[in-house]
Amino acid sequence: MTAPAWLAVTPGEPAGVGPECLVRLADSGATAPLLAVCDPAVLASAATMLGLDIDMVEWSPGLEPRAGQLACYPVPLRAPARPGHLDPANADYVLDTLRQAVHLVRDGHAAALVTGPVHKGVINDAGHHFSGHTEFLADLAEVDRVIMMLATDSLRVALVTTHLPLRQVPDAITTEAVDSAIRITADALQRQFGIAKPRLQVLGLNPHAGEGGHLGHEDDDIIAPVIEACRRDGLDLLGPVPADTAFTPTALEGCDAVLAMYHDQGLPVLKHAGFGRAVNITLGLPFTRVSVDHGTAIDIAGRGIADASSLGHAVEIAARMTRAASQ
């Protein structure tokens, strides 16, 4: 069965820059047909503010993609939205757009999910425990473990732990966590990126990868044995590699992805190298999900200066991953 052409897109926080970015992308010509999952009034308002004439139609099963058209699966706002003004009343709306988009993908109406930025704080202020898209989508898909990976054209960084306070990170670096992160990342690189035998560079947790136990025991006691076990199963791994030398051009040569132990160990390097051209990919879901690499930018929302390039890259990479997975 041929996968549907549509990419389901959630613009995210309605008071942020997500709606602006989506209508900009639709106006400039996306690389794949877009199915916006949101309140169409939010997109219409953004288009009016930007002076864009968007050909927007309501989506229904069987609708054929047409060049220059933006399809919309309507999800109603809970309260009027104003750019730059967060309102906890719309937290449920934001979560509803994600739920509906996942249904569209899992029911076969869309090929992949592309997500715009959400505001974790306002969602939590509304009474929801929400640590991020990655964890929320894992719960929706009923999978025990997913991996966050950010990627540019030349660098991919996956994470063993994601949104944890730094004090909690060492306790979260367990044999099970490192093992599953390695295997999920390697499997996704094969299935969704078409890399027959991916090579992963696995970082150590401590400075100098523990310096033989003098700077921490996790590298020798946990990370290194997991790497050896995975190598015995045929995976191509380097490590534990000290993080301060892992991102040199020589170290990255021939490496398909870097596995960092925690959020700020790997992502500052990636965002420095490719901010605005990077995307966030959730590995381990039963569907493809790609997101922008920026936040809601409440401070510039409604001013007409938001850059849609990250959303454009997310759409392009989601389409590319969908094609690779279908081959």
Side-chain angles (χ1 to χ4, degrees):
M1 177 178 167
T2 303
W6 299 106
L7 297 183
V9 184
T10 55
E13 168 55 50
V17 297
E20 296 176 45
C21 291
L22 181 50
V23 295
R24 276 194 189 279
L25 182 62
D27 180 68
S28 63
T31 56
L34 305 180
L35 171 52
V37 184
C38 63
D39 193 317
V42 174
L43 299 182
S45 177
T48 298
M49 182 269 295
L50 294 170
L52 302 178
D53 184 16
I54 302 296
D55 181 13
M56 188 162 53
V57 297
E58 183 171 332
W59 179 88
S60 61
L63 180 69
E64 290 293 325
R66 198 175 76 193
Q69 190 176 75
L70 176 62
C72 186
Y73 182 95
V75 179
L77 283 167
R78 301 299 180 88
R82 287 195 301 149
H85 298 271
L86 293 169
D87 187 346
N90 276 321
D92 284 298
Y93 157 79
V94 172
L95 298 181
D96 281 346
T97 64
L98 291 170
R99 294 186 186 100
Q100 294 300 328
V102 168
H103 283 309
L104 288 167
V105 176
R106 301 202 73 179
D107 289 347
H109 296 301
L113 171 62
V114 177
T115 56
V118 298
H119 195 285
K120 299 183 187 72
V122 76
I123 295 175
N124 281 278
D125 288 344
H128 300 283
H129 174 68
F130 183 86
S131 57
H133 269 120
T134 302
E135 298 81 2
F136 184 76
L137 293 172
D139 288 342
L140 285 182
E142 299 180 319
V143 296
D144 294 330
R145 179 82 160 118
V146 294
I147 298 299
M148 177 189 290
M149 183 174 78
L150 268 73
T152 66
D153 291 335
S154 59
L155 177 62
R156 303 182 186 97
V157 177
L159 303 174
V160 175
T161 64
T162 53
H163 301 118
L164 282 180
L166 199 54
R167 287 181 181 274
Q168 297 177 19
V169 169
D171 290 340
I173 303 301
T174 64
T175 296
E176 294 76 17
V178 177
D179 182 80
S180 64
I182 289 172
R183 295 179 190 275
I184 289 171
T185 303
D187 178 69
L189 290 172
Q190 287 181 318
R191 289 188 303 103
Q192 295 178 292
F193 289 85
I195 302 171
K197 190 172 176 59
R199 168 171 284 193
L200 272 66
Q201 187 174 199
V202 182
L203 302 189
L205 173 65
N206 297 293
H208 303 172
E211 192 92 26
H214 295 289
L215 294 176
H217 65 86
E218 293 88 356
D219 304 278
D220 289 344
D221 294 352
I222 298 172
I223 301 171
V226 171
I227 291 173
E228 288 304 316
C230 290
R231 282 178 180 150
R232 289 194 293 270
D233 289 338
L235 298 184
D236 188 359
L237 306 175
L238 301 172
V241 178
D244 63 346
T245 58
F247 294 97
T248 63
T250 301
L252 290 174
E253 188 174 349
C255 175
D256 296 300
V258 175
L259 182 64
M261 293 297 118
Y262 57 95
H263 189 280
D264 282 10
Q265 185 184 49
L267 297 194
V269 178
L270 182 136
K271 291 196 175 188
H272 172 74
F275 191 75
R277 303 186 308 279
V279 297
N280 185 338
I281 304 168
T282 305
L283 310 180
L285 291 170
F287 52 86
T288 296
R289 179 261 173 162
V290 185
S291 183
V292 297
D293 73 337
H294 58 76
T296 54
I298 293 297
D299 58 325
I300 65 168
R303 293 170 55 190
I305 59 175
D307 184 353
S309 59
S310 183
L311 182 60
H313 282 288
V315 166
E316 181 180 345
I317 289 176
R320 195 184 309 163
M321 290 173 65
T322 299
R323 290 192 296 269
S326 65
Q327 292 175 354

